[in-house]
Short mmCIF file of all heavy atoms in Angstrom, two decimals:
data_model
loop_
_atom_site.label_atom_id
_atom_site.label_comp_id
_atom_site.label_asym_id
_atom_site.label_seq_id
_atom_site.Cartn_x
_atom_site.Cartn_y
_atom_site.Cartn_z
N ARG V 409 227.64 268.81 95.21
CA ARG V 409 228.03 268.69 93.80
C ARG V 409 227.65 267.33 93.22
O ARG V 409 226.99 267.24 92.19
CB ARG V 409 229.53 268.95 93.63
CG ARG V 409 229.99 268.90 92.17
CD ARG V 409 231.39 269.47 91.99
NE ARG V 409 231.38 270.91 92.20
CZ ARG V 409 232.08 271.54 93.13
NH1 ARG V 409 232.85 270.84 93.96
NH2 ARG V 409 232.02 272.84 93.25
N ALA V 410 228.07 266.24 93.86
CA ALA V 410 227.77 264.91 93.32
C ALA V 410 226.26 264.64 93.34
O ALA V 410 225.71 264.05 92.40
CB ALA V 410 228.50 263.84 94.12
N ARG V 411 225.59 265.08 94.41
CA ARG V 411 224.14 264.87 94.52
C ARG V 411 223.39 265.60 93.41
O ARG V 411 222.53 265.05 92.74
CB ARG V 411 223.66 265.36 95.88
CG ARG V 411 222.19 265.11 96.17
CD ARG V 411 221.82 265.69 97.53
NE ARG V 411 222.65 265.14 98.59
CZ ARG V 411 222.41 263.99 99.19
NH1 ARG V 411 221.36 263.26 98.84
NH2 ARG V 411 223.21 263.57 100.15
N ALA V 412 223.74 266.88 93.21
CA ALA V 412 223.05 267.70 92.21
C ALA V 412 223.36 267.24 90.79
O ALA V 412 222.46 267.10 89.95
CB ALA V 412 223.43 269.17 92.39
N VAL V 413 224.66 267.00 90.52
CA VAL V 413 225.04 266.55 89.18
C VAL V 413 224.44 265.18 88.90
O VAL V 413 223.95 264.92 87.80
CB VAL V 413 226.58 266.52 89.04
CG1 VAL V 413 226.99 265.86 87.73
CG2 VAL V 413 227.14 267.93 89.11
N GLY V 414 224.47 264.28 89.89
CA GLY V 414 223.90 262.95 89.71
C GLY V 414 222.42 263.02 89.38
O GLY V 414 221.93 262.32 88.49
N PHE V 415 221.69 263.89 90.08
CA PHE V 415 220.26 264.03 89.83
C PHE V 415 219.99 264.56 88.43
O PHE V 415 219.21 263.99 87.67
CB PHE V 415 219.63 264.97 90.87
CG PHE V 415 218.18 265.27 90.62
CD1 PHE V 415 217.20 264.33 90.91
CD2 PHE V 415 217.79 266.49 90.08
CE1 PHE V 415 215.87 264.60 90.66
CE2 PHE V 415 216.46 266.78 89.84
CZ PHE V 415 215.49 265.82 90.13
N CYS V 416 220.66 265.66 88.07
CA CYS V 416 220.45 266.26 86.74
C CYS V 416 220.90 265.31 85.64
O CYS V 416 220.21 265.12 84.64
CB CYS V 416 221.19 267.59 86.64
SG CYS V 416 220.63 268.85 87.80
N TYR V 417 222.07 264.72 85.83
CA TYR V 417 222.66 263.82 84.83
C TYR V 417 221.80 262.57 84.63
O TYR V 417 221.72 262.02 83.54
CB TYR V 417 224.05 263.43 85.31
CG TYR V 417 224.93 262.74 84.30
CD1 TYR V 417 225.16 263.29 83.05
CD2 TYR V 417 225.59 261.55 84.62
CE1 TYR V 417 226.00 262.67 82.13
CE2 TYR V 417 226.43 260.92 83.72
CZ TYR V 417 226.63 261.49 82.48
OH TYR V 417 227.46 260.87 81.57
N SER V 418 221.12 262.14 85.69
CA SER V 418 220.30 260.92 85.59
C SER V 418 219.18 261.08 84.59
O SER V 418 218.70 260.09 84.02
CB SER V 418 219.74 260.55 86.97
OG SER V 418 218.76 261.47 87.40
N PHE V 419 218.75 262.31 84.33
CA PHE V 419 217.67 262.51 83.36
C PHE V 419 218.14 262.23 81.93
O PHE V 419 217.33 261.90 81.07
CB PHE V 419 217.10 263.93 83.48
CG PHE V 419 216.12 264.06 84.60
CD1 PHE V 419 216.54 264.29 85.89
CD2 PHE V 419 214.76 263.89 84.37
CE1 PHE V 419 215.64 264.37 86.94
CE2 PHE V 419 213.84 263.98 85.41
CZ PHE V 419 214.29 264.21 86.70
N SER V 420 219.44 262.36 81.70
CA SER V 420 219.95 261.98 80.37
C SER V 420 219.84 260.47 80.20
O SER V 420 219.60 259.96 79.10
CB SER V 420 221.40 262.43 80.20
OG SER V 420 222.28 261.69 81.02
N ARG V 421 220.03 259.74 81.29
CA ARG V 421 219.91 258.29 81.24
C ARG V 421 218.45 257.86 81.17
O ARG V 421 218.10 256.93 80.44
CB ARG V 421 220.57 257.68 82.47
CG ARG V 421 222.07 257.58 82.41
CD ARG V 421 222.77 258.86 82.06
NE ARG V 421 224.15 258.62 81.68
CZ ARG V 421 224.72 259.11 80.60
NH1 ARG V 421 224.05 259.82 79.74
NH2 ARG V 421 225.98 258.88 80.33
#
Side-chain angles (χ1 to χ4, degrees):
R409 183 167 290 120
R411 184 182 304 276
V413 172
F415 175 76
C416 297
Y417 192 53
S418 69
F419 279 84
S420 70
R421 281 52 195 131

